[in-house]
Amino acid sequence: MGTLYTEDKQHGLRRLPAVSRILQDERVQEAITEHGRELVVDCVRETLDRLRARLKEGETVPTDLSSVVQEALQAVERWRTPTLRRVINATGVVLHTGLGRAVLAEAARRAVAEVAQGHSILEIDRDTGERGDRIEHVRELLRRLTGAEDATVVNNNAGAVLLAVTVLAQGKEVIISRGQLVEIGGAFRMPDIIAQSGARLVEVGTTNRTRLSDYERAITPDTALLIRCHPSNFRIVGFSEEVPAADLASLAHRYNLPVLDDVGSGCLVDTGRFGLEHEPTLQESVQAGCDVVTCSGDKLLGGPQAGIILGRKEIVQRIRRHPLHRALRVDKLTLAALEATLRLYLNPEEAVQEIPVLRTLATPADDIKRRARRLRQRLQAILPGAGITVRLREGESAVGGGSLPGQQLPTTLVCLRLSDGNAQRLARALRWQEPAVFTRIEQEEVVIDPRTLLEGEMETLVQAVARAVTQCLGGEANHA
Ligand SMILES: *Cc1c(COP(=O)(O)O)cnc(C)c1O
């Protein structure tokens, strides 16, 4: 076909302003002062390249100086604006992995800010002035809260399991029930982790039932470890049976073998008090005699992303000396947040008050209903009278984050319906507000669950909904 342009295209290409001309523009000069020459010049060049390509495709694009300058400056702005930003979680999923799981307690946020602002006593022994160990900031706390002999922390729970299995069973066999060979979202698959650690997987039992005798029959001189894994994100109901941790630990100890229990969520308080089923706690797993217990820091524990490892002193010491422990090291900001979160648990009532995950789970249905009514009232006052309806409906919130699957908390939902029934469009418009709002779609409605709104977010949400609805209806909202 060759590169024969129509006259129009040629004309458009010729009309694009030259780089030198654009750089003389006053607004561009200002941008150079503010953002530096290199970024601005690159953005101008890239903008021209983009426009040229579109002209060659036969598109009609504005080629006047002012339009080109504006587009280039928008590109500069995009580079300078962080994309990882705060959003409003109106999904009702308390631990939403896509939205960053646990919101940190105020004490944890303050600890992070303080450690970020200056130098910190991360790895120095105050007494001797010698190099110390960063884990010391949380080790005693974890021991006290869980009853474990010893503890350490790594980057996340996937890392904790990989590290523990590597240390305890590399080159040997590990036994696990077929009912616990789980996949947790984001590519954590127990069989893959075991393979990666260099251990050989020995599956026992069936998907729905595994008995103690199944484990016992599989033990050989090559066995190094028995693994339990909490099936965090699914449930097997009906004709099912699994071996309690204490029984598995007794069996393992008779054969001089350790048990690793991956409890997943890292719960330290009884979830029964929130009207939920009882989630196994870290204390219970330690008490049951499991030799190594691992969990995440940012699920029900309500802290930062981290992998907590509890266990017998001798095993935790070996874990701490392994090169992978160094490779998976937690940073000071994580440690600061984790330490502050754990200190709240020293008074469990304070923990439930102060840790957002627990407070959100503990919010009574009546309080949520009041919030939902207030939200509906504010929305009805601000939204246009036509094109959108707002109604309340009884519904359910979810714990999320691979915790307490299938367990739901009663809530009152605020449902928005556009008269054209296009819920996807409204949900998308909400995601592009500043701050972005994330909702659920159910029965062609955009559904807002007030349970996961944080303090002070209600009015921001109302304004964001008003803007999004206005955009969808192509009209004006009454910003009273
Ligand atoms: C969530 C979960 C993991 C993965 O934890 P991360 O901290 O996300 O790495 C591993 N095992 C279980 C049982 C889990 O629930």
Side-chain angles (χ1 to χ4, degrees):
M1 295 256 283
T3 45
L4 280 175
Y5 306 129
T6 64
E7 264 179 35
D8 253 12
K9 285 185 201 165
Q10 294 252 21
H11 189 60
L13 287 173
R14 239 182 283 120
R15 255 198 339 224
L16 276 173
V19 173
S20 56
R21 174 74 194 84
I22 296 171
L23 291 180
Q24 282 158 16
D25 183 276
E26 201 180 317
R27 285 169 304 166
V28 175
Q29 284 295 318
E30 273 169 28
I32 288 173
T33 311
E34 193 180 341
H35 305 292
R37 188 173 178 84
E38 194 174 325
L39 177 66
V40 176
V41 172
D42 278 353
C43 285
V44 166
R45 291 224 164 90
E46 283 158 18
T47 300
L48 285 171
D49 287 348
R50 224 175 14 253
L51 290 173
R52 220 171 272 127
R54 290 173 61 187
L55 283 166
K56 283 184 189 171
E57 290 296 317
E59 274 183 62
T60 335
V61 294
T63 54
D64 61 287
L65 180 67
S66 174
S67 304
V68 177
V69 164
Q70 197 183 337
E71 194 165 330
L73 294 182
Q74 277 167 1
V76 173
E77 224 26 75
R78 275 198 300 276
W79 276 111
R80 295 285 278 180
T81 311
T83 54
L84 179 51
R85 268 178 290 172
R86 180 168 173 181
V87 303
I88 293 180
N89 175 8
T91 63
V93 181
V94 181
L95 290 166
H96 194 303
T97 300
L99 302 180
R101 288 195 188 160
V103 172
L104 293 179
E106 197 195 327
R109 303 195 303 264
R110 266 191 276 119
V112 171
E114 184 179 321
V115 164
Q117 271 160 24
H119 299 279
S120 57
I121 184 161
L122 180 63
E123 285 191 344
I124 298 272
D125 187 313
R126 249 192 225 233
D127 222 25
T128 60
E130 306 274 310
R131 186 72 178 266
D133 186 341
R134 62 179 62 199
I135 302 300
E136 288 307 314
H137 299 287
V138 293
R139 202 166 68 97
E140 286 300 320
L141 272 168
L142 285 167
R143 289 184 49 199
R144 184 184 180 100
L145 293 169
T146 65
E149 271 181 28
D150 204 351
T152 189
V153 178
V154 291
N155 182 58
N156 58 11
N157 191 22
V161 176
L162 174 66
L163 172 56
V165 179
T166 304
V167 167
L168 293 171
Q170 192 164 50
K172 306 273 239 155
E173 288 174 1
V174 303
I175 303 175
I176 185 168
S177 157
R178 291 197 168 89
Q180 296 178 358
L181 280 172
V182 304
E183 169 174 324
I184 317 283
F188 175 93
R189 291 179 142 198
M190 198 43 114
D192 296 348
I193 297 275
I194 291 170
Q196 187 61 43
S197 71
R200 284 191 307 282
L201 173 66
V202 177
E203 304 174 18
V204 295
T206 61
T207 309
N208 55 331
R209 300 195 89 180
T210 303
R211 301 184 186 80
L212 200 58
S213 53
D214 294 323
Y215 288 95
E216 187 159 16
R217 266 201 309 275
I219 295 175
T220 73
D222 255 1
T223 307
L225 178 67
L226 272 52
I227 298 184
R228 259 171 66 86
C229 179
H230 185 48
S232 307
N233 49 6
F234 70 99
R235 301 176 68 164
I236 294 174
V237 294
F239 189 60
S240 67
E241 178 177 343
E242 67 171 33
V243 176
D247 296 355
L248 194 63
S250 308
L251 171 73
H253 298 165
R254 263 197 281 132
Y255 288 88
N256 232 343
L257 293 169
V259 171
L260 164 76
D261 191 9
D262 174 9
V263 299
S265 202
C267 201
L268 282 167
V269 297
D270 177 12
T271 46
R273 64 183 288 168
F274 310 129
L276 294 162
E277 243 171 49
H278 179 77
E279 173 86 2
T281 64
L282 291 171
Q283 303 89 302
E284 286 161 1
S285 184
V286 170
Q287 181 71 39
C290 295
D291 305 270
V292 192
V293 181
T294 73
C295 73
S296 298
D298 55 353
K299 292 184 180 171
L300 282 176
L301 192 94
Q305 178 190 303
I308 293 169
I309 302 175
L310 311 167
R312 292 217 327 266
K313 199 174 187 68
E314 173 268 326
I315 294 178
V316 175
Q317 277 176 358
R318 275 165 62 203
I319 286 175
R320 220 182 274 136
R321 281 196 299 266
H322 194 278
L324 261 184
H325 188 270
R326 173 61 182 81
L328 297 168
R329 183 166 85 175
V330 276
D331 89 313
K332 61 184 178 182
L333 302 182
T334 302
L335 271 176
L338 184 62
E339 180 190 356
T341 306
L342 291 173
R343 287 201 192 280
L344 291 172
Y345 278 103
L346 293 172
N347 177 357
E349 292 315 309
E350 196 183 345
V352 173
Q353 279 307 308
E354 293 291 321
I355 294 175
V357 173
L358 301 182
R359 195 166 58 216
T360 304
L361 293 176
T363 311
D366 280 349
D367 287 10
I368 308 227
K369 184 171 277 176
R370 265 193 294 279
R371 274 192 221 167
R373 289 193 175 132
R374 204 169 67 222
L375 179 56
R376 177 183 57 179
Q377 195 181 15
R378 285 291 299 128
L379 286 172
Q380 281 174 339
I382 201 172
L383 291 175
I388 177 105
T389 55
V390 185
R391 66 170 185 124
L392 300 188
R393 170 161 76 77
E394 301 297 302
E396 274 153 352
S397 315
V399 181
S403 307
L404 296 159
Q407 295 245 2
Q408 314 219 288
L409 293 152
T411 192
T412 305
L413 303 169
V414 181
C415 309
L416 305 172
R417 184 187 291 271
L418 287 175
S419 50
D420 69 0
N422 196 338
Q424 293 291 348
R425 195 155 63 100
L426 179 55
R428 182 167 186 277
L430 283 165
R431 290 197 299 272
W432 279 104
Q433 296 305 314
E434 207 51 65
V437 177
F438 287 78
T439 57
R440 304 205 297 261
I441 295 180
E442 280 174 20
Q443 305 166 18
E444 327 261 292
E445 288 179 321
V446 167
V447 168
I448 294 171
D449 187 340
R451 182 182 290 276
T452 45
L453 296 181
L454 302 172
E455 229 166 273
E457 283 185 338
M458 176 87 81
E459 193 49 33
T460 317
L461 170 69
V462 167
Q463 297 298 331
V465 172
R467 288 192 304 272
V469 168
T470 306
Q471 286 159 13
C472 286
L473 297 177
E476 277 303 310
N478 168 24
H479 280 262

